[in-house]
């Protein structure tokens, strides 16, 4: 099967170059002072009874359109009302149908932390995340060399952003260090988009037990969340399970009730 991650990263490099031509990094830096205050996603997950990170997601490279006309001003308040611990908002346009505008729209509507979920390869994207009001960013080990990942983590922290470091297998454990805010295990292989939630359980024992652990992708039942929590996870990033339904917020509400 075609390596989807390589295609996404190649497009992301092209996309960021275009964005730099339109708005320089110096211009972004000037806008930082007006950015909203940061809320800690790490603390929110560590103190939450459920730990569900509800995701706003319109499209998937493997599934196609999930909810094409979804609006953050409708979905986000319903997620918050239902009891989400944090939000994940896809900002990749070509492959996921999202944009930075989705975070900008969502930010005034809630006080819970927002994760910018994208394929971050350049510090330029960190400035973007800060300006639109994100509290944390996703850094994907499979998309970055270790040195680059460390550089971006340091830069994110200098901007007051937390980092969710995403790994998929034991070969990427070396990316984890004392600067890592949260460790995410992606149950979806980013090359093939094959999903196996058992991946989180396989890696759980090899992860620092004092870290805030997040299981990402392929979680569709409250029972799975209960099992993951028993294995040491405190965050559960769930998108399609909610977004594919008519009322994502209501679906989340029933999901959370079933966890308790």
């Amino acid at each position: 099967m075609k390596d989807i991650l390589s295609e996404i990263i190649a497009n992301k490099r092209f996309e960021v170059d275009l964005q730099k031509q339109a708005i320089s990094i110096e211009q972004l830096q000037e806008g930082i002072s007006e950015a909203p205050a940061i809320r800690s996603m790490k603390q929110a997950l560590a103190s939450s009874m459920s730990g569900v990170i509800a995701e706003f997601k319109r499209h998937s490279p493997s599934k196609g359109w999930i909810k094409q006309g979804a609006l953050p001003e409708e979905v986000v308040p319903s997620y918050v009302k239902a009891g989400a611990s944090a939000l994940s908002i896809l900002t990749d346009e070509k492959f996921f149908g999202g944009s930075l505008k989705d975070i900008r729209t969502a930010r005034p509507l809630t006080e819970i932390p927002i994760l910018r979920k994208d394929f971050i390869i350049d510090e330029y994207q960190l400035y973007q995340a800060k300006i639109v009001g994100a509290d944390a960013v996703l850094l994907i080990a499979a998309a970055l060399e270790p040195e680059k990942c460390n550089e971006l983590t340091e830069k994110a922290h200098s901007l007051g952003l937390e980092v969710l470091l995403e790994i998929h297998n034991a070969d990427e454990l070396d990316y984890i260090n004392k600067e890592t805010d949260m460790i995410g295990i992606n149950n979806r292989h980013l090359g093939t988009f094959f999903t196996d939630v058992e991946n989180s359980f396989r890696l759980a024992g090899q992860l620092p037990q004092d870290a805030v652990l997040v299981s990402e992708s392929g979680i569709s039942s409250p029972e799975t969340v209960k099992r993951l929590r028993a294995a040491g996870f405190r965050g559960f990033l769930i998108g399609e399970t909610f977004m594919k339904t008519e009322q994502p917020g209501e679906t989340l509400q029933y999901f959370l009730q079933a966890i308790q």
Side-chain angles (χ1 to χ4, degrees), residues 14 32-33 38 46 64 76 88 96 98 100 120 133 142 146 179 224:
F14 175 72
I32 289 297
S33 60
I38 294 292
V76 165
S88 168
F96 292 89
L100 284 163
I120 305 286
E179 297 301 317
T224 300

Side-chain angles (χ1 to χ4, degrees), residues 117 185-188 195-197 215-219 237-238:
K117 191 176 182 190
I185 304 301
N186 196 346
N187 302 314
R188 177 178 287 119
T195 301
D196 177 16
V197 75
S215 183
E216 310 169 31
S217 304
I219 303 171
L237 199 154
I238 307 173

Side-chain angles (χ1 to χ4, degrees), residues 5-150:
L5 179 61
S6 296
E7 185 181 351
I8 292 174
I9 295 301
N11 181 73
K12 191 59 60 177
R13 294 191 190 286
F14 175 72
E15 187 181 283
V16 171
D17 284 344
L18 282 181
Q19 291 170 344
K20 286 178 176 178
Q21 291 173 31
I23 301 175
S24 71
I25 193 165
E26 289 77 18
Q27 287 173 290
L28 287 186
Q29 289 168 338
E30 289 173 6
I32 289 297
S33 60
E34 300 169 14
I38 294 292
R39 301 146 186 83
S40 174
M41 182 172 164
K42 178 180 179 179
Q43 291 178 10
L45 297 179
S47 62
S48 170
M49 292 298 290
S50 73
V52 170
I53 306 163
E55 186 160 85
F56 181 81
K57 177 180 181 179
R58 296 187 183 92
H59 186 271
S60 160
S62 59
K63 302 281 182 65
W65 286 107
I66 299 163
K67 191 179 284 294
Q68 186 170 1
L71 298 172
E73 56 265 40
E74 294 177 357
V75 176
V76 165
S78 72
Y79 274 162
V80 175
K81 183 180 179 182
S85 300
L87 299 168
S88 168
I89 298 182
L90 266 299
T91 58
D92 176 84
E93 184 173 357
K94 181 174 180 180
F95 297 91
F96 292 89
S99 74
L100 284 163
K101 184 182 176 184
D102 291 331
I103 295 183
R104 195 184 288 276
T105 300
R107 179 72 283 167
L109 304 178
T110 179
E111 288 299 314
I112 68 173
I114 295 177
L115 170 75
R116 179 188 184 184
K117 191 176 182 190
D118 208 319
F119 298 81
I120 305 286
I121 55 170
D122 192 293
E123 68 172 41
Y124 185 87
Q125 296 162 283
L126 301 177
Y127 283 102
Q128 290 176 322
K130 174 74 173 180
I131 286 173
V132 297
D135 304 293
V137 292
L138 183 73
L139 294 183
I140 303 171
L144 298 164
E145 293 297 326
E147 185 177 349
K148 185 64 175 179
C149 188
N150 289 337

Side-chain angles (χ1 to χ4, degrees), residues 178-192:
K178 60 182 177 61
E179 297 301 317
T180 306
D181 298 304
M182 298 163 282
I183 303 170
I185 304 301
N186 196 346
N187 302 314
R188 177 178 287 119
H189 187 283
L190 288 175
T192 63

